[in-house]
Amino acid sequence: MKKSLTIIGAACALALAGCGGASSGATNDTSDEADSGSDLSVPLPEGWEKVGGTSDFSSIEAEPKLPAKVKDGTDTEVEVKDIDKIIVAGDGVASTLGALGLKDNIAAAPENSTSPEGLGAPEHFEFTKETGVEGLLAMNGTLFIGDNTKRHGSVAEQFRDAGTEAVVMDDQQSQGDKLKAVASYVGAEDAGEELAELVDDQLADAATMARESDKQDLSVIEVTANGAGGQNAVAGTGTPGNEMIETLGYTSVGSESKLRGYSREFSNEGIVSSALDVIVMAESDYEKWGGEEGLWEAFPTLQQTPAGENSAIFVMPDAQLKYSSPEIGVGAQALAKAVAKLP
């Protein structure tokens, strides 16, 4: 029986501030192939694998119908009338708009974005603990879309008080519901339903693949270099990676430990006692750590786990693990395939 990772505490409040910044694209097929990671800036150690798939959203054609009357994740009723200049709070929202064919409507995104849509935004802003929304309001956006009710509920309220429409997605709902929520906020419910169905089918296929591989009795941990406050963290409930791990039938160490979101409070002793079998991380995390040594420095006891000793370590594209992207479905397929090949 797997033991849970000990929780020391929880942290998380962030606000937003303005800043400045500048291609985007969608992938095309649905194969889930592992590769050597040769396109990473830091080479992978022997035995580690970069895994990922490619997605095709060309069949999704959003035709926004405005005004759109919606109730967001904070139970606030909002009438969205203008989506020409959207300020997005994260990569999940940005990538969903991209899949809907609305990437050109993104006016601003966080400066630490990793999605093509977020990176390609005309302006960028910084998440900080101290600053407010004045800088963002000065961008003259027509809609703000937050992706976390705890972090962005008050931010959205300030936008609305200033006369700018604002909504916040419930980060604790399922991946499919997150996609549908974002689509509804821009008046594209039908396209959102179609997108969610596509991703749900991919997740179901991945779950079948994992079940048939006879390798579901595994403990899996997702670690990140960019948790609350940009610190090392373990993924818990409400994160796409956690949902993926549990959808595949594996035991999520973060979820078992009652972590919410990306928690920076973790116990190194708890990591060892969890006897985890697989470690997953996003490409941006691996590169931020600077490779293997940086990971061991961030999480000293990971190397002592069965996963660390057996090099059962997978590096995945950010969009397929770390944020609520429509690419999470092909990511799940790729991970199930890779885990099935473990000894």
Side-chain angles (χ1 to χ4, degrees):
M1 182 169 153
K2 307 293 181 189
K3 297 180 182 177
S4 296
L5 175 141
T6 303
I7 303 173
I8 297 175
C12 224
L14 291 175
L16 300 160
C19 226
S23 201
S24 166
T27 47
N28 53 14
D29 120 350
T30 53
S31 61
D32 20 318
E33 297 295 333
D35 66 40
S36 64
S38 58
D39 59 334
L40 292 170
S41 63
V42 183
L44 286 177
E46 183 178 355
W48 295 27
E49 272 192 274
K50 179 187 168 190
V51 299
T54 50
S55 299
D56 180 6
F57 305 121
S58 60
S59 65
I60 310 295
E61 296 183 20
E63 297 180 1
K65 297 175 183 177
L66 302 173
K69 294 183 179 180
V70 300
K71 180 180 285 189
D72 75 353
T74 66
D75 285 330
T76 302
E77 294 186 351
V78 180
E79 184 175 42
V80 178
K81 300 182 287 294
D82 189 344
I83 63 170
D84 285 347
K85 295 179 65 178
I86 303 173
I87 299 174
V88 300
D91 282 311
V93 176
S95 62
T96 302
L97 292 174
L100 294 170
L102 299 173
K103 70 179 180 63
D104 291 339
N105 293 60
I106 299 173
E111 66 174 9
N112 62 351
S113 297
T114 59
S115 65
E117 297 83 3
L119 290 169
E123 294 188 83
H124 293 89
F125 55 84
E126 180 185 9
F127 280 93
T128 71
K129 194 172 183 177
E130 295 80 18
T131 53
V133 301
E134 291 80 6
L136 287 180
L137 289 171
M139 292 178 177
N140 295 315
T142 59
L143 174 66
F144 169 79
I145 303 180
D147 63 5
N148 183 295
T149 53
K150 284 193 172 181
R151 283 205 300 267
H152 304 141
S154 63
V155 173
E157 187 175 354
Q158 292 177 66
F159 266 95
R160 291 191 293 267
D161 287 345
T164 301
E165 295 152 19
V167 289
V168 183
M169 177 180 72
D170 178 5
D171 58 301
Q172 294 295 298
Q173 62 190 329
S174 71
Q175 179 62 33
D177 286 342
K178 290 176 183 177
L179 300 177
K180 288 187 283 189
V182 173
S184 73
Y185 299 156
V186 295
E189 284 193 23
D190 290 346
E193 292 283 349
E194 187 179 350
L195 183 60
E197 183 177 357
L198 171 65
V199 175
D200 285 344
D201 286 347
Q202 291 167 341
L203 290 171
D205 176 68
T208 298
M209 195 185 311
R211 186 169 59 253
E212 293 178 347
S213 73
D214 235 6
K215 288 190 180 295
Q216 286 190 299
D217 187 24
L218 298 176
S219 180
V220 183
I221 191 171
E222 179 197 348
V223 290
T224 176
N226 295 291
Q231 298 186 39
N232 300 316
V234 173
T237 62
T239 61
N242 183 81
E243 180 177 343
M244 177 195 295
I245 291 166
E246 295 190 323
T247 295
L248 295 176
Y250 311 138
T251 297
S252 166
V253 172
S255 179
E256 287 289 295
S257 303
K258 313 299 184 198
L259 296 177
R260 183 184 191 276
Y262 289 105
S263 175
R264 66 189 185 194
E265 302 294 337
F266 58 88
S267 161
N268 285 313
E269 294 76 15
I271 287 178
V272 173
S273 66
S274 67
L276 54 100
D277 303 293
V278 177
I279 300 166
V280 294
M281 71 194 77
E283 292 176 13
S284 65
D285 295 315
Y286 177 73
E287 294 185 326
K288 183 176 179 179
W289 282 317
E292 179 180 16
E293 292 309 313
L295 173 64
W296 302 146
E297 183 178 343
F299 297 89
T301 56
L302 272 184
Q303 196 172 7
Q304 302 168 32
T305 65
E309 293 172 349
N310 299 324
S311 292
I313 301 172
F314 301 110
V315 178
M316 302 182 65
D318 286 46
Q320 297 179 25
L321 175 71
K322 194 169 181 180
Y323 54 85
S324 300
S325 159
E327 291 192 44
I328 207 79
V330 294
Q333 291 172 323
L335 183 60
K337 184 175 181 179
V339 170
K341 294 178 181 177
L342 289 174

